[in-house]
Every structure is written in C-alpha cells, then in structure tokens.
Amino acid sequence: MENKKEKTAPDVSVGADTEQPIRKNTTSSISENGGNIKSFEELQREMQLRSDPSYLQTISMNELFDTQYRSKQPLIDGLLYPGTYIFAGSPKLGKSFLMAQLAYHVSTGTPLWNYTTRKETVLYLALEDDYRRLQERLYRMFGTESTDNLYFSVSASQLGNGLDEQLARFVAEHKDTKLIIIDTLQKVREVGGDNYSYANDYQIMARLKSFADAHGLCLLLVHHTRKQNADDKFDMISGTSGLLGAADGAFLLQKEKRTGNAATLEVSGRDQQDQKLYLIRNTETLLWDLQKAETELWKEPPEPLLDEIAELVMKDNPYWEGSPTALVALINVDIQPHVITRKLNVLAGRLYAEHGILFRSERVHEGRKLRLWKDNTENA
C-alpha cells in the first residue's frame, strides 16, 4: 500500500452520462480498465465481432458490477439533473421568466427555493425574445446583480442545419457548461419538422438527448401544451407521445386561474422523484416563489461504508491507493474485499456528492488497485 499524491488524476466530469463506463470516457493517462487485462488477440476478436451486424453486444452481471459508471450529479438537488427535459406550459404563462430564474440560480450557484444548487455555466437560447427585452426582464427580476457564467443568444440555427455544430462549439469553448435552455423547441425544429408523427418527434428528442448525454449536461426544452385536458396531465404536451417517450422527463407549469398569480409545477423524470410544487408569482419582480411542495423528497438512508472511508481513510489524507484488502483493513465495516470494490463502483457518485471523494478501480498485474482522492487535490 502506498500513500502518495497522485500526479495525474482522471478527468472527471461530474454530470456525465451514466450509460457509459468511465474507462471509455476519459483522456487520463491512468489505465482504468476495470475488468481483466485482455490479450491483443482477444481485443482483435472483439473488434471483429462488433463489426459483424449479426453480433449482439452483451454484458454479464459480473461485468456490470465490475464496471464503474459516471453518476449524474444534479444541477439542482432533487429537481434538475443532466439529461433532456421538456418544460411545457400554455403560451404567455410565465415560462420564460421561470427559465431565466433557473438559469440565473444555476449560473450563480444560489439556492432555488429550498433546493441546493451547484454553480455551473449556462447557455440560454431565448429565441422568442430580443436583447432589449431580456435586459429589462433580468433587471426587473434580479436588479444589476450579474454573473459571467450565464450566456444568452436570441438567434440560432435549426436542428440538422447548424444547431448541432453551434452547441458543440459553445460547449467546447465553455467546458463547464451544464445547462442549455432552448426557448422554444419549435424554433429549432428542422425544416419540415412540423410533421407531428410519433417517429418524427421521437427522432428529434433522441437526437437532442444524444447530444446532452455525450456532454453530460442538462438540455431543457421549452414547449407548449395543447388546450385539451387529459387524464394524465403530461399527455397535454403538444405533439405526440414520442417527445416525452424519448426525453428523460418533463416539467408541466399550469396556472390555477389564467388571470391569477398561483400555479402548479409538476415534475416527472427518470432521475428524480415525481413532485408537485405550488408556486406564486411575485407581482413586482415577476419571480416565481415556492409556497409548498406536495411531496416531501425521499432521502437515501445513511451508508456506513462511505462515512467510514471519509472519516478513517481520507479525513487527513488527500490521496490513497491500495488493494481492496488493504482498504477493508482500515474501516470498521464487515465486508469482503471483492464486495467493497463492487459496492464502491455503484456508490462512487454518492461518495463524491456527499464527501467530495473520487474513486477509481483498475486491474493491474499484481491484482486490483483502488484509488481514492479528494476533489480539491491538485490536478484532480
């Protein structure tokens, strides 16, 4: 076991796609192969199989647990996560004001209502506004308190006709971008995209989701609802069910009375708990304030293993590496060495979120080596 400071740590993007193993999404010089070291012949055979259209790529349950996937750290705890989301509501309801509010809070890292918010760079495509109107709106909402992390554009290309390249270039130039708001989806649909078939809607969302997942960010698409009511309120989203089917979730803003200031915000998604929030709009600032939440957020039960690592292994140590057996010997949790590696693969995102500790596992000739280091470690 060797205690030393790591010279080059993996490039960890906190909100990256959970469907891709970390070892395939890093430019680090550290080898992160979590499985057995394979021979050249085995790798060559795998490549040949993958190129065969009749070959179905699979993964065993053992391989699944032996692989560490990047976790999706929320932008706003319990409310907004990396992925592709629809934000729907009737026209002239105040959606754009709420979008500006979300953008401002994420870009400054200030809590939104009672939700913890992480400071990230935000791009807001306000495609139904102009800069003068944006200036007046933001001044009314926030005064002259501004931030360098929030960028606006009132014009953008359409999907398949330049938007993909524009967004990719912005993210390349602003690598800490974690939220892109497109207001509205209709403004960027490709020419002929008003063909509201399930296949067309699904393809549009799948394309946007692919971009969001590849860059580990949240893509929030402002959209309208239809006038007809539905048993499931999310069926009121304009278009076919293909939009919601391909998205990671949706937000639905509805006013109780068209002329009133009270509204409900319903949230449904793959990575967060379904919620219903009761909001009221401040008549002076036009900010949306939270009155109450119908559902109390579920909290994960304590995890002794993570607490033990934080207290006994990493409290006074910015970096640790060693075997699973060595790590088990340092903590007061009854766990087998092979189990601790698998458990940390699953809980790596929570270890980072709760304690700021990053984890890696790799197979070396001597066996398996584990690495733990604090997020503020130099070069980490």
Side-chain angles (χ1 to χ4, degrees), residues 49-60:
L49 283 172
R50 290 172 193 268
S51 63
D52 184 348
S54 66
Y55 173 68
L56 178 65
Q57 185 178 346
T58 62
I59 183 171
S60 71

Side-chain angles (χ1 to χ4, degrees), residues 9-13 21-33 70 360:
D11 179 14
V12 177
S13 175
I22 284 178
R23 64 176 184 262
K24 295 181 181 179
N25 284 282
T26 178
T27 56
S28 167
S29 61
I30 296 175
S31 172
E32 295 174 357
N33 288 320
R70 296 187 185 224
R360 289 290 179 274

Side-chain angles (χ1 to χ4, degrees), residues 189-190 192-205:
R189 291 186 75 138
E190 43 195 337
D194 53 354
N195 174 23
Y196 296 112
S197 68
Y198 180 93
N200 183 265
D201 284 349
Y202 193 95
Q203 184 180 29
I204 288 171
M205 290 304 298

Side-chain angles (χ1 to χ4, degrees), residues 78-329:
L79 191 65
L80 192 62
Y81 288 75
T84 304
Y85 294 85
I86 300 170
F87 192 101
S90 300
K92 312 303 179 186
L93 193 64
K95 297 188 300 297
S96 293
F97 281 87
L98 188 48
M99 290 300 98
Q101 197 169 345
L102 284 170
Y104 181 83
H105 279 265
V106 172
S107 65
T108 58
T110 53
L112 175 69
W113 306 321
N114 58 344
Y115 296 89
T116 300
T117 304
R118 289 170 176 79
K119 184 177 180 179
E120 306 288 358
T121 293
V122 179
L123 172 63
Y124 184 4
L125 302 184
L127 304 179
E128 292 187 340
D129 286 305
D130 55 42
Y131 289 123
R132 177 196 59 79
R133 189 180 297 121
L134 275 175
Q135 183 189 63
E136 291 177 351
R137 179 183 302 163
L138 293 168
Y139 176 73
R140 184 169 181 178
M141 297 174 73
F142 308 109
T144 56
E145 293 294 324
S146 61
T147 171
D148 286 334
N149 290 341
L150 177 52
Y151 295 83
F152 298 92
S153 180
V154 296
S155 63
S157 300
Q158 293 178 306
L159 273 169
N161 193 30
L163 178 65
D164 315 63
E165 293 78 10
Q166 288 177 332
L167 295 181
R169 180 168 180 175
F170 181 88
V171 172
E173 294 172 352
H174 305 84
K175 297 186 184 301
D176 54 351
T177 302
K178 291 299 175 188
L179 175 60
I180 297 177
I181 299 171
I182 299 180
D183 188 358
T184 62
L185 173 62
Q186 189 60 33
K187 284 283 186 176
V188 299
R189 291 186 75 138
E190 43 195 337
V191 177
D194 53 354
N195 174 23
Y196 296 112
S197 68
Y198 180 93
N200 183 265
D201 284 349
Y202 193 95
Q203 184 180 29
I204 288 171
M205 290 304 298
R207 185 172 186 169
L208 291 166
K209 176 174 168 53
S210 177
F211 175 85
D213 289 348
H215 295 281
L217 53 80
C218 175
L219 197 54
L220 197 53
L221 309 166
V222 180
H223 197 46
H224 297 307
T225 53
R226 56 172 69 97
K227 293 181 180 180
Q228 300 93 333
N229 287 321
D231 293 335
D232 183 344
K233 291 187 177 181
F234 288 95
D235 287 339
M236 295 170 60
I237 295 173
S238 183
T240 73
S241 57
L243 289 177
L244 189 56
D248 291 296
F251 297 79
L252 184 62
L253 183 68
Q254 291 182 298
K255 271 192 175 182
E256 296 179 1
K257 294 182 180 178
R258 183 68 189 177
T259 56
N261 294 315
T264 59
L265 179 64
E266 296 193 55
V267 185
S268 181
R270 293 172 181 157
D271 291 306
Q272 68 267 71
Q273 182 178 338
D274 287 0
Q275 298 177 70
K276 186 174 184 178
L277 309 179
Y278 292 85
L279 309 178
I280 190 162
R281 202 174 183 192
N282 186 307
T283 54
E284 293 184 9
T285 63
L286 299 183
L287 289 167
W288 289 98
D289 297 322
L290 176 66
Q291 285 191 305
K292 65 176 182 177
E294 188 173 272
T295 307
E296 185 176 347
L297 287 178
W298 178 82
K299 293 183 179 180
E300 291 186 282
E303 177 48 69
L305 173 61
L306 305 186
D307 297 336
E308 289 280 308
I309 287 174
E311 284 297 315
L312 298 181
V313 182
M314 303 301 294
K315 186 174 182 180
D316 301 313
N317 190 14
Y319 177 81
W320 181 92
E321 73 173 41
S323 68
T325 302
L327 183 58
V328 167

Side-chain angles (χ1 to χ4, degrees), residues 320-358:
W320 181 92
E321 73 173 41
S323 68
T325 302
L327 183 58
V328 167
L330 294 175
I331 61 177
N332 297 319
V333 176
D334 185 16
I335 190 171
Q336 295 298 316
H338 75 282
V339 175
I340 198 171
T341 303
R342 289 185 168 187
K343 196 162 185 177
L344 285 174
N345 280 339
V346 176
L347 298 175
R350 187 172 170 186
L351 179 64
Y352 177 82
E354 295 181 6
H355 300 288
I357 297 171
L358 294 155

